[in-house]
């Protein structure tokens, strides 16, 4: 035990110093020898550590999602090289390198938190053994030994005997009841945290061994906490219960506001976002803009929830833009087909009505004029006198046009019929 404590001595002193500083603050309010002062000092230590670990937590989320994205490719590699483990490992490492993903990144918060956990464990174990450790002197040691949380001393364990518990000024029943309740709460919070991750924030369209491993961990972790929890002092149980509750709340926030694509959480989030955007007509938060920008940039790769979101905006008269903003679609309408293709329609001025296609005889008998009159009715309405004059001229010219058109049409038809019967026969001059 002393050897392990010496390994973590570099972190034991800072941890004990932080606890003492928080104890000074809370001791002035609740009293220096109370369980509230020491218990809240431990809780404050957890909160401080977890705030410092937020960047690692964000990196963990990105790494976990990257691993989920790579699961289909990993499965292909496993099936292709199932008889060659060395080649399989090489291809896996190559895939990680190309995608910039590190499987250990998902364990960073736990690994970074472990030294603080062991340091706190040795501080509380020193208090239980009556030994000063770090910056905790004899006066603080005596104060910590007097502190009780709901009747259980900070340094007491579930496995302690009645004699040791009595030396700390408590009863064995109180210690075991309090530690049992804390162990159950600690295991339940861990189970719920893992369960909401598996049921709400996992892409349901991809079935991979990674999901099976996560399901297994959902049941293994609570059992591990229950087994090891009986050997933890009450102060360590307070620490671990607080960090589990923090993790659960932090994960609930992430699942609600930044869900995994293709998960049930994303469907619920996009449904809420659709209602918000259609009600206000714009996007407010930067995170919402980032999500909309990512959805627009996917194109054909959008999942069914994302296509439903784009179509919902289109039905409401809105269009998602490439920069993540949303604009009214009087000038632009975005339609997403079932295959994920995006069609952008720009509303322009009403097109001029095209004239109907006329026959050859109509074109020879002054059809273009009539077509122009049909195509430009507004010109006739604006200039009735001009229109009247043109109509009179056309009436006067109509008999002459018909007389000129009939012989030519007959001559052409005779020539064409003669060519069809005997193409090599020369054309005879028309006799009038």
């Amino acid at each position: 035990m002393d050897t392990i404590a010496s390994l973590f001595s570099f972190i034991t002193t800072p941890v004990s110093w932080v606890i003492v500083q928080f104890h000074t603050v809370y001791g002035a309010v609740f009293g220096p020898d109370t369980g509230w002062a020491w218990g809240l000092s431990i809780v404050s230590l957890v909160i401080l550590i977890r705030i410092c670990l937020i960047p690692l937590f964000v990196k963990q989320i990105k790494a976990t999602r990257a691993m989920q994205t790579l699961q289909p490719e990993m499965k292909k590699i496993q099936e292709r090289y199932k008889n060659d483990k060395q080649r399989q490992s090489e291809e896996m490492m190559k895939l990680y390198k190309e995608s910039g993903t590190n499987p250990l990144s998902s364990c960073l918060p736990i690994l970074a938190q472990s030294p603080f956990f062991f340091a706190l464990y040795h501080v509380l174990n020193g208090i239980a053994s009556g030994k000063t450790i770090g910056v905790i002197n004899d006066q603080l040691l005596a104060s910590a030994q007097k502190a009780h949380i709901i009747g259980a001393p900070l340094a007491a364990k579930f496995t302690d005997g009645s004699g040791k518990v009595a030396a700390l000024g408590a009863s064995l029943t109180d210690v075991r009841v309090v530690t049992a309740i804390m162990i159950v709460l600690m295991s339940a919070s861990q189970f719920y945290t893992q369960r909401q991750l598996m049921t709400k924030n996992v892409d349901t369209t991809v079935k991979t061994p990674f999901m099976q491993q996560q399901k297994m961990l959902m049941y293994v972790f609570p059992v591990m906490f229950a087994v090891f929890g009986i050997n933890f002092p009450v102060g360590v149980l307070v620490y671990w219960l607080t960090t589990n509750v923090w993790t659960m709340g932090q994960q609930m926030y992430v699942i609600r506001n930044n869900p995994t694509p293709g998960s049930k959480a994303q469907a619920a989030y996009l449904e809420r976002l659709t209602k918000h955007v259609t009600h206000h007509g714009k996007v407010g938060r930067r995170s919402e803009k980032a999500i909309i920008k990512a959805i627009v940039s996917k194109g054909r790769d959008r999942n069914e929830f994302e296509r439903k979101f784009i179509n919902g905006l289109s039905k409401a008269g809105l269009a998602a833009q490439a920069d993540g903003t949303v604009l009214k679609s009087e000038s632009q309408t975005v339609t997403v087909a079932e295959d994920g293709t995006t069609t952008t329609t720009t509303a322009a001025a009403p097109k001029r009505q095209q004239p109907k296609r006329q026959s050859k005889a109509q074109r020879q008998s002054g059809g273009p004029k009539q077509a122009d009159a049909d195509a430009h009715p507004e010109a006739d309405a604006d200039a009735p006198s001009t229109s009247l004059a043109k109509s009179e001229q056309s009436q006067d010219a109509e008999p002459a046009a018909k007389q000129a058109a009939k012989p030519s049409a007959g001559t052409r038809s005779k020539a064409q019929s003669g060519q069809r019967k005997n193409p090599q026969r020369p054309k005879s001059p028309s006799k009038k």
Side-chain angles (χ1 to χ4, degrees):
M1 184 68 68
D2 294 336
T3 303
I4 298 176
S6 61
L7 293 175
F8 292 96
S9 59
F10 72 96
I11 194 68
T12 301
T13 301
V15 166
S16 61
W17 183 85
V18 172
I19 292 177
V20 169
Q21 301 307 311
F22 281 122
H23 174 262
T24 304
V25 175
Y26 292 120
V29 179
F30 301 102
D33 299 336
T34 60
W36 284 103
W38 286 99
L40 290 176
S41 300
I42 297 173
V43 172
S44 300
L45 173 67
V46 175
I47 295 174
L48 178 62
I49 293 173
R50 294 310 299 267
I51 290 175
C52 295
L53 293 179
I54 286 178
L56 293 180
F57 179 76
V58 174
K59 192 172 183 179
Q60 178 192 20
I61 293 175
K62 293 181 179 180
T64 302
R65 291 186 180 179
M67 289 295 295
Q68 291 175 352
T69 305
L70 292 178
Q71 288 306 306
E73 299 296 330
M74 293 172 62
K75 190 175 182 180
K76 291 179 183 179
I77 293 175
Q78 291 174 354
E79 293 176 354
R80 184 180 302 173
Y81 304 105
K82 59 183 178 180
N83 297 326
D84 190 351
K85 298 298 181 182
Q86 183 177 357
R87 182 66 182 278
Q88 185 181 117
S89 301
E90 292 176 355
E91 293 295 326
M92 288 288 189
M93 296 303 297
K94 183 179 179 181
L95 179 63
Y96 294 150
K97 186 176 180 180
E98 291 176 353
S99 60
T101 304
N102 187 357
L104 297 178
S105 298
S106 59
C107 303
L108 283 177
I110 296 178
L111 295 175
Q113 191 177 347
S114 297
F116 299 96
F117 169 77
F118 284 110
L120 179 63
Y121 178 84
H122 290 302
V123 169
L124 296 174
N125 188 67
I127 293 173
S129 304
K131 298 178 181 179
T132 59
I133 184 170
V135 298
I136 297 180
N137 52 27
D138 294 334
Q139 183 180 358
L140 292 171
L141 178 63
S143 175
Q145 288 181 336
K146 295 177 183 178
H148 291 67
I149 296 178
I150 318 177
L154 286 176
K157 304 176 186 177
F158 184 87
T159 56
D160 287 343
S162 56
K164 188 174 182 178
V165 172
L168 294 172
S171 66
L172 184 61
T173 303
D174 292 340
V175 170
R176 291 191 173 178
V177 169
V178 172
T179 53
I181 292 174
M182 295 181 73
I183 290 171
V184 170
L185 292 176
M186 185 175 63
S187 301
S189 60
Q190 178 65 33
F191 176 78
Y192 182 77
T193 300
Q194 192 69 18
R195 187 176 182 275
Q196 72 173 350
L197 180 66
M198 292 300 303
T199 57
K200 296 181 180 180
N201 206 40
V202 173
D203 188 354
T204 56
T205 61
V206 180
K207 305 294 182 181
T208 59
F210 178 76
M211 294 180 61
Q212 300 299 326
Q213 295 175 3
Q214 294 296 317
K215 284 184 179 180
M216 182 180 65
L217 294 176
M218 181 172 65
Y219 296 99
V220 170
F221 275 156
V223 174
M224 291 176 59
F225 276 107
V227 171
F228 292 112
I230 61 175
N231 295 312
F232 289 162
V234 173
V236 174
L237 293 178
V238 171
Y239 173 92
W240 209 248
L241 177 60
T242 305
T243 193
N244 279 2
V245 173
W246 177 281
T247 302
M248 182 174 62
Q250 187 173 248
Q251 186 169 273
M252 289 175 65
Y253 176 82
V254 171
I255 290 175
R256 180 177 175 82
N257 295 281
N258 193 14
T260 300
S263 62
K264 294 180 180 179
Q266 189 196 31
Y269 175 80
L270 292 180
E271 185 177 356
R272 294 193 306 269
L273 184 59
T274 303
K275 293 180 180 179
H276 173 77
V277 173
T278 53
H279 179 71
H280 296 281
K282 61 180 181 179
V283 183
R285 293 187 294 179
R286 186 180 301 176
S287 59
E288 294 175 350
K289 291 183 179 180
I291 290 177
I292 294 176
K293 181 179 179 181
I295 292 175
V296 173
S297 64
K298 283 185 177 181
R300 292 178 177 270
D301 296 332
R302 298 189 189 107
N303 56 49
E304 56 177 334
F305 307 132
E306 295 165 345
R307 290 196 295 268
K308 184 178 179 181
F309 169 72
I310 296 294
N311 287 331
L313 293 181
S314 180
K315 291 178 181 178
L318 301 171
Q321 305 300 309
D323 59 351
T325 58
V326 174
L327 300 177
K328 291 184 179 181
S329 57
E330 287 87 4
S331 59
Q332 194 175 47
T333 303
V334 179
T335 305
V336 181
E338 292 296 330
D339 59 351
T341 57
T342 302
T343 305
T344 304
T345 305
T346 302
K351 294 183 178 180
R352 188 174 63 182
Q353 186 178 2
Q354 297 294 334
K356 294 182 180 180
R357 187 174 182 180
Q358 298 178 345
S359 64
K360 188 180 297 183
Q362 289 176 340
R363 291 196 298 270
Q364 292 175 356
S365 62
K369 296 180 181 180
Q370 184 66 27
D372 292 339
D374 295 338
H376 301 282
E378 66 277 3
D380 296 339
D382 295 338
S385 59
T386 306
S387 172
L388 181 59
K390 288 183 177 180
S391 63
E392 292 177 353
Q393 293 176 2
S394 63
Q395 289 177 2
D396 296 337
E398 186 176 0
K402 288 183 178 180
Q403 293 176 2
K406 287 181 180 179
S408 61
T411 304
R412 183 177 297 177
S413 62
K414 289 180 181 180
Q416 290 177 354
S417 62
Q419 289 178 3
R420 284 196 297 270
K421 290 180 181 179
N422 189 3
Q424 298 179 355
R425 187 177 63 184
K427 296 181 181 179
S428 60
S430 60
K431 298 179 181 181
K432 296 185 180 179

